[in-house]
Amino acid sequence: MQHALKLEINCKTPRYADAMINTLSPDPILKPDEASINYEVVGETLVINIEGQSIRSLRVTANGLLDTVQEALECISSLDS
Amino acid sequence: MVDLDKYLPERGYYLALGLEGSANKLGVGIIKHNKGERSDENRAEVLCNIRDTYNAPPGEGFLPRDVAKHHRNKVVRMVLEALKIANVTYKDLDCICFTQGPGMGAPLQATVIAARMLSQLHGIPLVGVNHCVGHIEMGREITGADNPVVLYVSGGNTQIIAYSHQRYRIFGETLDIAVGNCLDRFARVLKISNDPAPGYNIEQLAKKGTKYAPLPYAVKGMDISMTGILAQVEQLAKDKQRKTQYSMEDLCFSLQETLFAMLVEITERAMAHVQSNQVLIVGGVGSNLRLQEMMSKMAAERGGSIYATDERFCIDNGIMIAQAGLLAYRVGITTDIKDSVCSQRFRTDDVYVKWRD
């Protein structure tokens, strides 16, 4: 794929980073021939590598993913007490 | 007899939280089951059943991305509110139940994210629930109907269902659009408000209708078709000359009468086939009083009766997901997080109903 974006999200603890990857990774990407997402946990950081055939597919994939990431982070901050 | 207490917690009862988000309603419910078989003396207890609806502007339908945004914005607050209302904590919950399909992809996914997070943060098993089975199990629980023919009518589904050999089997269904979708789309043509629901507003207008406009009647064996009827009634609504012949109220009345007559016909045929005299109506359209009245007359002529619930349980809600999920949990069914992917197409008869004989 021609275009790539790397996101590094500090989840504060390795446990939260694991919860994030387990929450985000099961859902398949809608157009796998146009874009791909790879997740990795490094310590307390969730590393997301997004690749796209075009800038547009990269942007659309990243936009959708960031909405989901935001929701998952809100769950961590509000539902873990 | 199925053993429903093989996984009974030490405290002697079960608690489940259900998350529903397959369409424009986000629902969170918390249910309690005491140990033992369900009976009139041992009913499920609804500890909380809250819902928040995304309404599109008049004349418009709701779009998946807008609904998903609504669910993402509300889900955390609603879970916290539900726990507060039910007066329970995370550690009290035996399972987190979520709608796994069928429904709209983006809203389903927005809801399952919260379910997965809750499950992991607190070490609570997940249970994926078929939305249609959720409606059926909640309807059975609330009404006490034992083994009815089920008419499932909503914005996304229209099915006639009967239970046999641990499956809810589909005897008949729509060949194109769902009955609720047909009513909603006609409401858009008339630019009727979507608040509280377009179907409800059509029902109120239909009460004032007096003149029946002939519409196509499309029963095909055990199945029905509604797009032709919708096209015809839309044409009548747009036709200026005929506008004077049929009022908006008349058209709402005619549409309801035609659609509901078709539903009554196939329901009656299913009842004859499975030799049942009980009908359980579930789904959002099931709260339509005219449909209940027509179905009731048919059932009475067969020496039977109908079972229906009010809008708390008919319209999509979280408690029905908790109910069906908890029944599954009690016989050992849980969903691994990697298998928790939602599906827009999840047939009612795909579910193995292990909790019934």
Side-chain angles (χ1 to χ4, degrees):
Chain A
M1 302 232 183
Q2 292 183 342
H3 305 277
L5 176 68
K6 183 178 181 182
L7 301 172
E8 291 185 9
I9 299 165
N10 187 325
C11 302
K12 291 185 182 172
T13 70
R15 176 177 159 252
Y16 286 157
D18 281 338
M20 286 292 284
I21 196 171
N22 291 335
T23 296
L24 300 173
S25 62
D27 294 324
I29 196 156
L30 285 179
K31 294 182 178 173
D33 53 328
E34 289 184 19
S36 68
I37 305 177
N38 282 299
Y39 301 92
E40 188 188 356
V41 168
V42 181
E44 59 191 28
T45 304
L46 174 67
V47 181
I48 307 175
N49 286 295
I50 310 170
E51 293 187 352
Q53 285 283 19
S54 63
I55 290 286
R56 183 187 173 276
S57 58
L58 188 70
R59 177 180 59 78
V60 170
T61 306
N63 267 349
L65 179 68
L66 285 172
D67 284 340
T68 308
V69 166
Q70 188 182 8
E71 180 188 354
L73 289 172
E74 193 190 349
C75 287
I76 288 175
S77 65
S78 302
L79 300 180
D80 192 28
S81 55
Chain B
M1 186 71 81
V2 177
D3 181 5
L4 287 170
D5 291 321
K6 212 171 161 183
Y7 304 92
L8 179 69
E10 276 182 23
R11 62 174 183 268
Y13 62 85
Y14 309 83
L15 284 176
L17 182 143
L19 290 167
E20 154 60 26
S22 62
N24 67 331
K25 281 108 187 153
L26 179 65
V28 183
I30 298 177
I31 204 158
K32 178 183 176 185
H33 284 188
N34 290 313
K35 66 178 179 182
E37 285 293 307
R38 182 201 155 277
S39 66
D40 288 344
E41 292 75 40
N42 187 16
R43 307 290 288 265
E45 201 177 322
V46 176
L47 302 186
C48 172
N49 185 24
I50 54 174
R51 177 169 55 211
D52 196 281
T53 303
Y54 171 77
N55 283 319
E60 293 179 27
F62 50 82
L63 298 172
R65 66 165 187 270
D66 296 333
V67 177
K69 188 178 175 188
H70 167 267
H71 291 4
R72 279 195 296 268
N73 288 341
K74 299 272 180 171
V75 68
V76 166
R77 270 174 286 169
M78 286 182 66
V79 167
L80 292 171
E81 189 186 345
L83 291 166
K84 195 175 170 188
I85 292 169
N87 197 23
V88 298
T89 62
Y90 300 112
K91 66 176 171 28
D92 298 323
L93 298 171
D94 295 299
C95 55
I96 305 288
C97 314
F98 67 98
T99 307
Q100 200 161 13
M104 300 168 97
L108 280 169
Q109 200 232 4
T111 311
V112 74
I113 292 294
R116 285 178 193 149
M117 245 333 159
L118 268 176
S119 166
Q120 290 181 90
L121 293 174
H122 302 285
I124 307 167
L126 274 178
V127 183
V129 174
N130 179 293
H131 179 86
C132 315
V133 172
H135 271 298
I136 295 169
E137 292 302 350
M138 200 65 215
R140 289 179 64 230
E141 178 62 39
I142 293 293
T143 64
D146 182 39
N147 191 25
V149 165
V150 180
L151 174 65
Y152 174 33
V153 276
S154 69
N157 298 277
T158 302
Q159 295 175 342
I160 300 285
I161 300 158
Y163 177 80
S164 173
H165 294 88
Q166 296 191 299
R167 299 265 173 195
Y168 286 113
R169 296 180 194 271
I170 300 168
F171 274 64
E173 61 192 312
T174 176
L175 295 170
D176 39 49
I177 56 172
V179 63
N181 188 234
C182 184
L183 294 168
D184 291 355
R185 283 163 70 169
F186 187 55
R188 268 179 248 162
V189 171
L190 300 180
K191 297 210 173 357
I192 297 173
S193 165
N194 288 321
D195 187 23
Y200 175 82
N201 293 329
I202 289 223
E203 182 184 359
Q204 305 316 310
L205 286 170
K207 287 177 183 169
K208 297 171 196 155
T210 52
K211 203 186 296 179
Y212 179 79
L215 295 172
Y217 186 88
V219 172
K220 302 178 181 188
M222 284 298 292
D223 299 324
I224 61 175
S225 166
M226 286 168 276
T227 46
I229 300 166
L230 178 63
Q232 175 72 9
V233 77
E234 281 180 355
Q235 191 59 43
L236 288 172
K238 288 171 183 170
D239 187 334
K240 284 188 178 172
Q241 273 189 325
R242 295 198 188 191
K243 234 179 190 175
T244 52
Q245 193 181 344
Y246 299 111
S247 65
M248 193 160 80
E249 290 79 6
D250 290 336
L251 293 177
C252 291
F253 165 73
S254 306
L255 181 62
Q256 276 201 172
E257 293 299 302
T258 307
L259 295 177
F260 296 168
M262 287 158 49
L263 293 172
V264 169
E265 181 186 333
I266 58 170
T267 305
E268 183 171 18
R269 204 173 298 140
M271 288 170 78
H273 189 80
V274 301
Q275 296 178 328
S276 169
N277 62 0
Q278 295 180 329
V279 189
L280 171 63
I281 309 178
V282 299
V285 183
S287 58
N288 186 300
L289 296 178
R290 177 59 183 152
L291 175 61
Q292 292 182 14
E293 183 189 4
M294 289 170 73
M295 201 62 75
S296 200
K297 276 183 187 166
M298 178 275 288
E301 284 172 13
R302 299 182 60 83
S305 53
I306 71 155
Y307 295 85
T309 57
D310 62 34
E311 60 83 29
R312 289 172 301 165
F313 304 107
C314 241
I315 295 171
D316 292 350
N317 59 82
I319 203 74
M320 68 183 201
I321 302 304
Q323 167 69 6
L326 188 49
L327 286 170
Y329 175 81
R330 289 178 66 177
V331 292
I333 298 171
T334 57
T335 304
D336 195 281
I337 199 160
K338 69 178 184 308
D339 300 321
S340 63
V341 178
C342 295
S343 170
Q344 292 181 67
R345 300 179 195 282
F346 185 2
R347 297 274 294 175
T348 312
D349 47 12
D350 282 344
V351 179
Y352 178 57
V353 186
K354 196 178 169 186
W355 54 92
R356 287 186 68 179
D357 284 320

